[in-house]
Amino acid sequence: MEISNLPISPSHRGKLLSAGYSTLASLSSISPKQLAEGPSTGASLLSHTAARTAWDMLTDEQTTRHITTFSGELDAILGGGIHCNEITEVGGAPGIGKTQLGIQLAVNVQIPVEYGGVGGKAIYIDTEGSFMVERAHQIAEACIRNTLDRSILHRKDLHGIEAKMQPNNFLSNIFYFRVCSCTEQIAVINYLDKFLEEHENVKIVVVDSITFHFRQDFEDFAHRTRLLSGISLKLMRLAKRFGLAVVLLNQVTTKFIDGSFQLTLALGDSWSHACTNRVVLYWNGNERRAHVDKSPSLPPASAAFCVASEGIRDALPHYKRPRMA
C-alpha cells in the first residue's frame, strides 16, 4: 500500500514521504522505537510538533482574524469570513465565480485594521491565466468606496489612513505569480517561505486553481497524490507560521455515484483531507449559492451570493447575472 493512501494525518504522511518512505512495505523493517525517533534521519517525526494546551488552542480560535467576502450571508456561514491560519478550498463549476471570489479576497485582505480589516497583502498564484488586473482595479475601487462609506456611517475620523486607500496602492500589494506547469507551481510554492520572509504582512495566498496542472499528463496517480500532499503540507505550515489564510480554488469533474454521473470536486476525497475547510459553489436555478461542505469548526450551511460589477455581494431577490469565471 502507498503511504499516500494511509489513513493518517497529512502532516505525518508528508514527513514519512519526505524521509523517503513511499510504501507500507518500506516501513516493515523499522521498529516502532526507530519510527518514533525518526526514520533514517534520527530526527523525530514529531520534532516540529510542539505540545500545546487546549486553552491555547481555544484562545487562538477565538482571536483568529477573518477576511470578509463582502457578502454578509457568505461571511455568516464561514464564521466571519475566510479564516487566517487555515487552508480553505473553494470549488465549483466554471462560471460560478471562483476567480471573482479569489480577486475579491486579494483586495479585501488589505482593508485597514482601523476599519475592521486585516490590513495585509496578498499573493495570487495563477495557474490558468484567469486573473484580470482590470477586474482587480474595479473591485478595489468598490472596496474602497464601501469601506469609506462605512466609516462615515460609524463617524470614524481616519483622514490619514483614507489618503492611503487608493486603487493603485491596493494593486501594488497583490503579488502575482503566473505558473504554466506543475513543476513551476511546485517551485513557486517552495519559494514562498523565502518570499514571505522578505515581504512582511502577507495575509492571504490564493491559488487559482490548485488542480489545473495536476489533471493533465499524470499517468502515475500515486506520484500525483504524493506531490499534492507535499504542496498541502507546505501551505499548511506557511498558514500557521505566518498567520495567513490559504485559499485553494478547485475545479469540478464527473464521478459515477449510485448509478449516475454527478459533479464532484477534482482530485477526489483524498485531497479533501488536505484542507481545513471546503466550500462548494453551485447554481440553484439562476442563483449562486455557497455550501460549507467540510470544516472542523463550522456546521454545514448554505448561503446565496451574487457577482456584481462591484464584486462579491449579497444576493438580491431575483438577482440574475451573466456567468463569470
Side-chain angles (χ1 to χ4, degrees):
M1 177 183 288
E2 296 282 345
I3 292 296
S4 57
N5 296 326
L6 288 177
I8 57 177
S9 72
S11 175
H12 289 166
R13 185 184 302 119
K15 288 170 183 175
L16 285 170
L17 292 170
S18 64
Y21 295 91
S22 58
T23 66
L24 194 58
S26 64
L27 293 174
S28 60
S29 61
I30 304 296
S31 70
K33 182 177 183 296
Q34 288 174 313
L35 189 59
E37 291 173 349
S40 76
T41 63
S44 171
L45 278 173
L46 302 179
S47 60
H48 299 292
T49 307
R52 306 179 64 214
T53 68
W55 175 253
D56 290 336
M57 296 170 65
L58 179 61
T59 302
D60 285 349
E61 287 185 11
Q62 292 177 337
T63 57
T64 293
R65 293 188 289 179
H66 304 86
I67 304 166
T68 179
T69 64
F70 269 171
S71 165
E73 292 188 17
L74 184 52
D75 282 351
I77 67 170
L78 293 173
I82 298 295
H83 296 220
C84 291
N85 304 310
E86 296 180 357
I87 297 180
T88 299
E89 177 189 20
V90 179
I96 194 64
K98 299 185 298 295
T99 295
Q100 302 295 314
L101 178 59
I103 295 174
Q104 184 77 65
L105 292 170
V107 168
N108 287 4
V109 73
Q110 302 179 54
I111 297 173
V113 174
E114 292 82 357
Y115 290 95
V118 174
K121 301 175 183 179
I123 291 174
Y124 203 101
I125 300 174
D126 185 2
T127 68
E128 301 186 37
S130 54
F131 181 87
M132 299 162 285
V133 68
E134 297 84 0
R135 181 61 172 150
H137 188 275
Q138 185 181 32
I139 289 175
E141 288 182 320
C143 173
I144 292 167
R145 287 196 305 269
N146 185 285
T147 302
L148 294 180
D149 287 346
R150 288 182 181 181
S151 71
I152 293 173
L153 181 65
H154 293 91
R155 299 181 179 179
K156 289 187 176 182
D157 185 12
L158 299 166
H159 293 295
I161 298 173
E162 289 177 11
K164 299 178 181 178
M165 293 186 65
Q166 302 296 327
N168 61 315
N169 292 335
F170 274 57
L171 295 185
S172 296
N173 288 329
I174 300 176
F175 302 106
Y176 175 80
F177 292 88
R178 175 72 172 100
V179 298
C180 300
S181 69
C182 62
T183 303
E184 289 185 11
Q185 185 171 333
I186 293 169
V188 167
I189 289 173
N190 286 336
Y191 171 62
L192 289 183
D193 256 320
K194 186 175 188 299
F195 187 89
L196 290 168
E197 289 172 354
E198 296 173 349
H199 297 78
E200 295 182 353
N201 208 31
V202 172
K203 290 301 173 187
I204 190 170
V205 175
V206 179
V207 184
D208 180 12
S209 68
I210 188 68
T211 52
F212 182 71
H213 293 304
F214 287 91
R215 296 183 67 187
Q216 311 170 48
D217 303 325
F218 265 95
E219 295 181 0
D220 187 345
F221 292 112
H223 178 54
R224 183 183 74 172
T225 300
R226 289 195 296 273
L227 291 176
L228 286 166
S229 295
I231 286 175
S232 66
L233 179 63
K234 180 76 172 179
L235 291 173
M236 179 58 76
R237 286 176 176 169
L238 292 175
K240 297 294 185 183
R241 178 184 173 191
F242 293 97
L244 54 81
V246 175
V247 176
L248 307 179
L249 306 184
N250 195 358
Q251 303 170 333
V252 294
T253 186
T254 55
K255 185 176 181 181
F256 194 72
I257 303 173
D258 296 331
S260 63
F261 286 98
Q262 300 179 25
L263 287 178
T264 184
L265 297 192
L267 303 181
D269 295 334
S270 60
W271 168 251
S272 69
H273 300 302
C275 305
T276 316
N277 310 296
R278 169 177 267 192
V279 180
V280 178
L281 309 183
Y282 63 97
W283 290 99
N284 182 21
N286 289 314
E287 182 182 64
R288 289 179 170 89
R289 295 191 67 83
H291 176 72
V292 176
D293 185 60
K294 188 207 80 165
S295 174
S297 59
L298 301 170
S302 300
F305 71 98
C306 75
V307 180
S309 59
E310 298 87 358
I312 302 296
R313 295 294 187 273
D314 279 325
L316 301 175
H318 309 297
Y319 193 89
K320 297 181 181 180
R321 297 290 302 179
R323 301 190 176 195
M324 306 179 78

